[in-house]
Amino acid sequence: MNVKQQLILLFLVLVIPLFILNSYGNSKAGEILKRHVTNAYIELNKQNFKLIGRDIETINKVTSTVFQNSMIQQLSTTGDETILTRVKNYEKIEVMLNTYSQETDEREPLYYSLFVYDPDNYYFFAPYYPESKKAGVYFFSDEKEKPEWFDEAVSRKGNGYLKLTQHLSPPVKGQKDQKTLLYVRAINNIYKGGTIGVLAVTNVDAKIGESLKTVSLPEGELYFTDWKNHILTTTEKGKEGYLDLPPEAEPGNSTSGVKDVITKDFIYVIDYNYVLQQKLIYKVPVKALLQQQDEIKRVILIISVAYFVVGLIIILYFWRSLMTPLQKLVYFVRRYEPGNIVPQTPYRKRSDEVSVLISTIYDMARRLNDLIHYKYTMDLKQKESQLALLYQQINPHLLYNTLESIYWKSTMEGNTTSAEMIKDLSKLMKISLSRGRELITLEEELEHATAYIKLQQNRYDYSFSVEMNIPEHLNHVNIPKITLQPLIENGIIHGIKNMGEDGEIRIIAEESQGTMYIRISDNGFKAVDYEAIHKALNDDSPNPSTGYGIRNIHQRLQLHFGQEYGLTYEKRPGGGTTVTVSLLITRQDD
């Protein structure tokens, strides 16, 4: 089929199924609409339930942190502590719970309160006025002051759960409204056994309410209930108690999942979890959806007609504007042979994609002719460059071999110190060769760094100390050559140069999750501008007079291993500077 026939076929393929689907869609619009909306609510419900579960899991993690806190674990209502000691312990726990209750953003805060049974009134000085929007530590000695949920929480042996309560403590005259959704968890003594107290997290209903507000249902209702359908919180004001659901909405033997039920009046989407004893329920009236059905049908019909008209206009446009220039282009491409003269490019006055395509192909043909001649010239220049490169490598080899000869001569003449310095210098020259490799092993790089350190120790009148801790299994990890030596040089010059024998350089390597970290630290006393160093490493246009060497190392590491690797500078504990080299672990045999 030619292009004209393909355009006609494309038009028919696009238009005919549209009217077939339109006819079928009108007959099934109500059913499809309800099913699609239900599926959308199922996905929305899953995400909403995960969000609520994440909030509850966060609460559980915080309570676990409080659970393990040493102050909490050492809290006792019996003992010989002085009143001052008890007051201080009380204040510390009060401050800690208030700290956990603070929110750094504009979200609803949670309030963490600890309730402790104090039969001997050991903490008589602690006030007992719990509120739903207040954190604190509360001690009660009388059974009449015991919260109604206290024994239930203790019986669960440290397992947290949600509970809707009207009172945080037995009601008294003048007491504020204490209705709230609690997350309750008993705190057990890790060392001695038994229960220390019960941690109650209040205002959970407001926290979950924030997550429910992120969902918009047309005239729908959202409920968060326990496993027996008791409403814990909802978007509907004034609704509480038990939520009636159709019998088919019961999960049966399933412990978790999502269930949807479409009745005559409502669509129910229920995400449930038996382990957590929780359900998230969407209740959407079917009437609100069906009222939109007729409007959707009219919109679909209008779209179909408009689609047909626009499609017809587009086909006619392409028929006239594409076929003639494309046919001429096909004629040119079939007759063109590399090296032949390319005629003048047609349709230069046009600026659409077809004109760009035609002009590009003509220009490409011209460039192809130029490349045929250019390739021959470049082949000659490449051979000349290879010869020049071989000549340039003669000097480093010659200097390295000459240093080796001077080393042996100095050794034979008894100049041991000079011989060792020459030997170390020859090792430094060796890194510039490295058999043409850019990546060498950490063992080789450390050998060159050690040679540099020995040269510096022989150069100055004092001997600073050097400590290396390199695990043996990291010796064969690849590293760009001449990475460590400039960093060690910076540590000597800018850190310990004037410290005499007190100067110290440490080189430590370690591995974590496929990344090797090499830390080079000094104990220098000079002030270091870490912000300037960070700017020199990461700015797109840094000052060329500062940080050129370390920026070169940083960029080479990122070119080899990725943008997440490179150099970082930080202050060393106890004084001095630590530079960390991070790179991906690769080896020669990888």
Side-chain angles (χ1 to χ4, degrees), residues 193-478:
T195 301
I196 296 173
V198 175
L199 186 65
V201 185
T202 60
N203 207 35
V204 179
D205 47 344
K207 193 77 169 179
I208 296 175
E210 285 184 338
S211 299
L212 297 181
K213 289 178 182 178
T214 61
V215 179
S216 176
L217 302 180
E219 301 181 19
E221 303 170 1
L222 283 77
Y223 297 91
F224 185 66
T225 71
D226 62 11
W227 190 254
K228 295 182 179 179
N229 300 331
H230 293 103
I231 299 173
L232 299 178
T233 184
T234 178
T235 57
E236 302 301 306
K237 294 183 178 180
K239 285 197 175 182
E240 56 184 34
Y242 183 81
L243 178 64
D244 289 325
L245 295 177
E248 54 268 32
E250 292 299 322
N253 296 326
S254 177
T255 58
S256 64
V258 180
K259 192 174 185 67
D260 64 278
V261 177
I262 302 176
T263 65
K264 180 181 178 182
D265 299 320
F266 295 98
I267 295 175
Y268 296 90
V269 179
I270 307 166
D271 199 330
Y272 56 90
N273 189 308
Y274 179 77
V275 176
L276 300 177
Q277 294 286 297
Q278 297 165 5
K279 294 181 182 179
L280 179 61
I281 302 169
Y282 289 178
K283 182 180 178 182
V284 183
V286 175
K287 182 179 179 181
L289 298 178
L290 295 180
Q291 287 176 348
Q292 303 174 13
Q293 182 178 347
D294 293 336
E295 183 65 24
I296 292 175
K297 288 182 179 180
R298 287 193 294 270
V299 171
I300 291 176
L301 179 60
I302 293 173
I303 292 175
S304 300
V305 174
Y307 181 85
F308 175 81
V309 174
V310 172
L312 182 61
I313 294 173
I314 292 174
I315 290 296
L316 293 175
Y317 169 77
F318 279 107
W319 193 287
R320 297 186 59 185
S321 64
L322 291 181
M323 295 309 302
T324 300
L326 287 178
Q327 286 176 345
K328 291 184 178 181
L329 179 61
V330 170
Y331 177 76
F332 165 73
V333 171
R334 287 178 176 176
R335 296 182 66 244
Y336 170 73
E337 292 183 3
N340 289 351
I341 298 176
V342 179
Q344 183 178 1
T345 305
Y347 297 100
R348 284 191 175 273
K349 295 182 179 180
R350 297 175 55 173
S351 58
D352 58 7
E353 288 80 0
V354 176
S355 178
V356 172
L357 175 63
I358 293 174
S359 61
T360 301
I361 291 178
Y362 274 76
D363 293 340
M364 183 173 61
R366 296 187 185 95
R367 288 196 298 271
L368 182 59
N369 289 342
D370 294 338
L371 284 173
I372 293 173
H373 301 287
Y374 178 73
K375 185 178 184 301
Y376 174 75
T377 304
M378 291 304 296
D379 286 342
L380 293 178
K381 290 184 177 181
Q382 182 180 9
K383 293 186 180 297
E384 293 175 357
S385 299
Q386 290 174 347
L387 289 174
L389 182 61
L390 292 174
Y391 283 123
Q392 290 175 3
Q393 290 181 345
I394 292 175
N395 289 337
H397 275 288
L398 178 61
L399 181 56
Y400 173 71
N401 294 333
T402 302
L403 289 173
E404 285 288 320
S405 299
I406 296 174
Y407 164 74
W408 289 112
K409 182 173 178 60
S410 298
T411 302
M412 295 176 64
E413 292 177 353
N415 296 326
T416 307
T417 303
S418 299
E420 288 302 320
M421 292 183 69
I422 293 170
K423 183 65 175 178
D424 292 332
L425 182 58
S426 67
K427 289 182 180 179
L428 290 178
M429 290 299 303
K430 188 177 180 181
I431 195 174
S432 66
L433 300 175
S434 299
R435 300 178 183 176
R437 296 174 296 159
E438 175 62 23
L439 293 176
I440 61 176
T441 65
L442 178 59
E443 184 177 18
E444 293 174 307
E445 178 69 6
L446 288 172
E447 180 183 355
H448 300 138
T450 302
Y452 171 77
I453 292 171
K454 289 181 179 180
L455 281 174
Q456 294 302 313
Q457 288 176 330
N458 287 321
R459 174 183 175 187
Y460 297 111
D461 295 334
Y462 55 85
S463 177
F464 54 86
S465 63
V466 179
E467 178 184 342
M468 288 192 184
N469 185 4
I470 310 297
E472 188 173 340
H473 69 279
L474 297 179
N475 280 335
H476 298 289
V477 175
N478 290 333

Side-chain angles (χ1 to χ4, degrees), residues 83-120:
I83 294 179
L84 179 60
T85 301
R86 281 175 274 166
V87 170
K88 288 182 178 180
N89 291 339
Y90 167 78
E91 289 178 346
K92 289 179 181 179
I93 297 174
E94 184 94 0
V95 170
M96 179 190 69
L97 294 178
N98 275 289
T99 300
Y100 284 121
S101 301
Q102 294 176 358
E103 283 287 340
T104 56
D105 52 19
E106 297 180 356
R107 298 189 66 190
E108 282 285 344
L110 298 170
Y111 301 94
Y112 294 80
S113 299
L114 178 61
F115 291 79
V116 181
Y117 179 50
D118 185 11
D120 298 327

